[in-house]
Amino acid sequence: MTLRMATEYTVLDVELTGRASGRLQQAEVTVARTRDLGRNDERFTTMTHLGNILQAGDAVMGYDLTTAVWNDAETKEWPKLQLPDVVIIKKVYP
């Protein structure tokens, strides 16, 4: 996946899990697609390594795995694989 495939999300809520590694902090984040705000109430909850820099109202870029196309041959090898709906990759700075 490339950055062109990323979708902009708005952070609605951030809950730190308490796990940290160096300057990265794990958090459970609730996000909504920026383009869908006001149209529907679809929210996604995912884990991220950017917990220390995210706050409610921030814009982030992430991969929308709910619309991704998967090859069955690739996922067949991992029957218990559970992918998140969204993978946050970076914060968008104004």
Side-chain angles (χ1 to χ4, degrees):
M1 297 188 115
T2 64
L3 193 55
R4 285 186 184 176
M5 296 176 181
T7 305
E8 185 173 327
Y9 292 89
T10 301
V11 176
L12 303 176
D13 186 35
V14 178
E15 293 182 28
L16 299 176
T17 62
R19 296 183 65 184
S21 176
R23 63 185 185 138
L24 302 176
Q25 178 119 19
Q26 185 182 40
E28 185 174 309
V29 180
T30 304
V31 296
R33 286 187 204 98
T34 301
R35 69 174 185 249
D36 289 345
L37 288 177
R39 292 186 189 164
N40 62 32
D41 196 27
E42 190 172 13
R43 298 177 180 193
F44 303 98
T45 302
T46 188
M47 300 297 277
T48 183
H49 63 289
L50 302 174
N52 59 333
I53 61 171
L54 294 181
Q55 297 177 5
D58 286 346
V60 295
M61 297 299 288
Y63 295 127
D64 185 358
L65 300 184
T66 61
T67 59
V69 178
W70 300 101
N71 185 347
D72 284 339
E74 294 174 0
T75 58
K76 193 175 192 180
E77 298 173 14
W78 305 24
K80 294 183 181 180
L81 179 66
Q82 293 183 359
L83 295 173
D85 292 334
V86 176
V87 176
I88 296 174
I89 53 174
K90 67 181 255 178
K91 179 177 176 176
V92 177
Y93 291 96

